[in-house]
Amino acid sequence: MNFRQLEVLRTLLVTGSTTATARAMGLSQSGVSRLLQQLESDLSLQLFARDKGRLIPTPEAEKLAYDAELVLSSIDRFSNLAQDLRSGAVGPESIRMALPHSLADHLTPALLADFDKAFPRVRIETFFDTSMSITRLVEQRTVDFGFLRYEGQQSAGVELEKVASGRKVCVIPSGHALAELEKITPKELRGIPLILIGRNRPNRMKLDEVFRRAGVPQNVKIETHSNNSAFAFAAHGLGVAIISSFFANLTRDPKVVVRPFDPPLTQEFGLAKAAGVPLSIAADALIKRLKQMLISMEQETA
């Protein structure tokens, strides 16, 4: 038994003829007759008596009609709910995403404003943290997905798609003598107060190794764990910040200039979700919008 057979029963009870039922359901008359015969066979009941081309419902058909209507109404509600989920009229209770602190004021507001146009009833919960913490949030399924810096190794419980990259740059106060140079090497940074981030993290350790090989001791003025704060400290003349171009390019500030650090040190960034766990339609739509914005941003600054 299937729902099309129940639809034939419902429509026949209203129209009283296979011709009218076929027209209403967009079927052939023989198709209607076949579905009715299948239903009667499946139920082992005669549902209609035939009288000179007319179909007269039996008491059994009248009795079944109420429950048939309930089943079909439930199927209609189910189909409508699926349509609403696809269109964004409804969605999961919330989508939870984790991003670096540096994206709290940049990119995220525009991302959510764009997403809200298509999914106005979906609630968003944002977490802003370090890449290490974001990995843990994804792995524990506290968040649906996260954007983080790729450190060279990733938990087996996390799937990471690399979507952006950046290279180390120096953020220099605009009046500083180094602002006149086209690129900055460790030699130029000898004795210069530095603003560095991510102590003991793999990418920071690579930077420290470059200075060691150049024989230049670092004059670390400020240690911080946020690209935004490193940029702001440099803009206030507290030193030269060395951060990823991905984050440096998020802000335009006349109080600083940005110069490539040489030798080149690159970083990759990715979108992460729990391994083997599918996203809801709404969460998938949000992660695709974020991916598109990240790719566009990287192309604009290339």
Side-chain angles (χ1 to χ4, degrees):
M1 184 173 57
N2 58 56
F3 79 95
R4 290 296 277 171
Q5 295 169 353
L6 296 182
E7 285 185 319
V8 165
L9 173 61
R10 177 175 63 180
T11 311
L12 279 170
L13 287 168
V14 173
T15 66
S17 76
T18 55
T19 302
T21 296
R23 189 181 307 115
M25 295 183 61
L27 298 172
S28 66
Q29 190 172 347
S30 61
V32 170
S33 297
R34 183 171 59 255
L35 286 168
L36 176 58
Q37 290 169 4
Q38 289 171 351
L39 179 59
E40 289 180 323
S41 175
D42 290 343
L43 298 176
S44 299
L45 289 171
Q46 182 181 358
L47 300 176
F48 291 88
R50 281 74 172 171
D51 181 24
K52 298 178 182 179
R54 294 174 60 244
L55 292 177
I56 303 171
T58 64
E60 290 77 16
E62 299 281 4
K63 187 71 173 177
L64 290 170
Y66 178 75
D67 281 352
E69 185 62 40
L70 290 179
V71 172
L72 291 169
S73 295
S74 295
I75 292 173
D76 287 341
R77 285 196 300 272
F78 185 86
S79 298
N80 291 336
L81 176 59
Q83 173 61 33
D84 287 342
L85 286 167
R86 287 193 298 271
S87 67
V90 299
E93 181 181 351
S94 67
I95 298 173
R96 299 158 300 174
M97 66 175 183
L99 302 168
H101 293 288
S102 302
L103 296 185
D105 298 326
H106 304 284
L107 186 141
T108 305
L111 169 69
L112 298 187
D114 177 65
F115 178 78
D116 187 62
K117 295 174 184 176
F119 292 83
R121 298 186 184 180
V122 176
R123 180 165 63 89
I124 308 296
E125 186 174 359
T126 58
F127 297 74
F128 295 99
D129 219 317
T130 63
S131 289
M132 181 184 296
S133 296
I134 291 172
T135 299
R136 187 164 54 250
L137 289 171
V138 171
E139 188 174 29
Q140 296 172 349
R141 298 179 62 180
T142 301
V143 298
D144 297 296
F145 67 87
F147 175 71
L148 48 82
R149 181 178 61 249
Y150 178 61
E151 298 283 12
Q153 291 183 337
Q154 199 63 50
S155 165
V158 175
E159 293 177 4
L160 182 70
E161 179 186 7
K162 298 175 186 177
V163 296
S165 63
R167 60 167 293 173
K168 289 292 186 184
V169 295
C170 294
V171 182
I172 307 166
S174 57
H176 199 285
L178 293 180
E180 301 300 320
L181 301 179
E182 292 186 1
K183 62 182 180 180
I184 309 296
T185 69
K187 181 179 68 174
E188 281 82 43
L189 293 172
R190 184 183 297 273
I192 300 295
L194 299 178
I195 303 163
L196 302 182
I197 65 172
R199 183 172 52 182
N200 297 325
R201 302 300 299 155
N203 283 293
R204 169 64 183 277
M205 293 168 69
K206 290 179 182 178
L207 177 66
D208 294 344
E209 180 62 22
V210 168
F211 275 87
R212 279 194 293 271
R213 289 181 178 178
V216 176
Q218 295 170 327
N219 178 21
V220 182
K221 174 76 171 180
I222 298 176
E223 291 273 7
T224 185
H225 299 279
S226 161
N227 289 278
N228 276 358
S229 61
F231 191 102
F233 295 154
H236 280 75
L238 293 170
V240 172
I242 304 178
I243 64 175
S244 170
S245 61
F246 176 86
F247 295 107
N249 291 332
L250 290 173
T251 305
R252 297 290 183 268
D253 191 326
K255 295 191 293 292
V256 300
V257 296
V258 177
R259 297 289 184 262
F261 179 81
D262 194 61
L265 291 174
T266 60
Q267 289 180 312
E268 293 182 313
F269 302 87
L271 289 166
K273 71 179 190 71
V277 179
L279 295 173
S280 68
I281 291 174
D284 187 60
L286 180 57
I287 202 172
K288 285 179 178 176
R289 280 172 167 78
L290 175 56
K291 180 179 175 180
Q292 290 168 356
M293 292 184 72
L294 292 168
I295 293 173
S296 296
M297 186 175 70
E298 187 172 28
Q299 290 174 343
E300 289 173 1
T301 57

